[in-house]
Amino acid sequence: MSSDRRTLLADAAVGVLADSGLRGLTHRAVDRAAGLPDGTTSAYFRTRQALLTALVRRLVELDQAELQAAGEAAVVPRGAEELVAGIAALVERRLTGEGRRRTLARYACALESVHQPELREILAPRENAGRDLVRAFLAGQGFADAEARTLTLLRSVDGLVFDRLTGGGAVTEEEIRRLVAAALLPAAPSAPA
């Protein structure tokens, strides 16, 4: 039961952070969001830092589960357009509904991690089946640097998501198509020494 309660509180904290920002993330606000008596959150997470750390761990757990499930349900794209479609579906999930709330919370935590390195370690990118699919596609295109290209592509997509989350609008398939095309460009020749 304790583990279930901690998860319930962490999920409620994600929602509070998404809706109210870091200033609104209080033990009492999480109690209310979870529908629990005042003092419940502080009984499980004594300090605000403990609450924030639990929230970040839960965000990573949820994101990893989503990316793992998406990757396991798909096959390595046979062409660039299949990769574009897969990324577009992920972006749509990140910008709508509960995915949008988690994305808002994730970016708030990422900014806070600048001042709290322990959060940065928890938020560090991890292996998952979704990332594996992108890397396998790029390796299948003959790129020896498929890992570096994967990270660049996914970080670029993340930048588009951030831009639309803060500025409004949707990420278009054409924008994703251009990022995928850039990932498929031949490596630039090395500059002479």
Side-chain angles (χ1 to χ4, degrees), residues 92-107:
E92 178 71 17
R93 287 192 303 273
R94 293 283 164 100
L95 288 173
T96 58
E98 276 306 305
R100 178 182 172 77
R101 294 180 85 214
R102 279 202 336 258
T103 302
L104 284 166
R106 183 181 324 102
Y107 287 136

Side-chain angles (χ1 to χ4, degrees), residues 131-156:
R131 183 171 155 181
D132 292 345
L133 283 178
V134 175
R135 184 176 42 244
F137 170 76
L138 291 169
Q141 301 301 305
F143 293 110
D145 61 344
E147 175 64 15
R149 287 172 185 260
T150 297
L151 291 176
T152 299
L153 174 58
L154 295 179
R155 287 176 179 148
S156 298

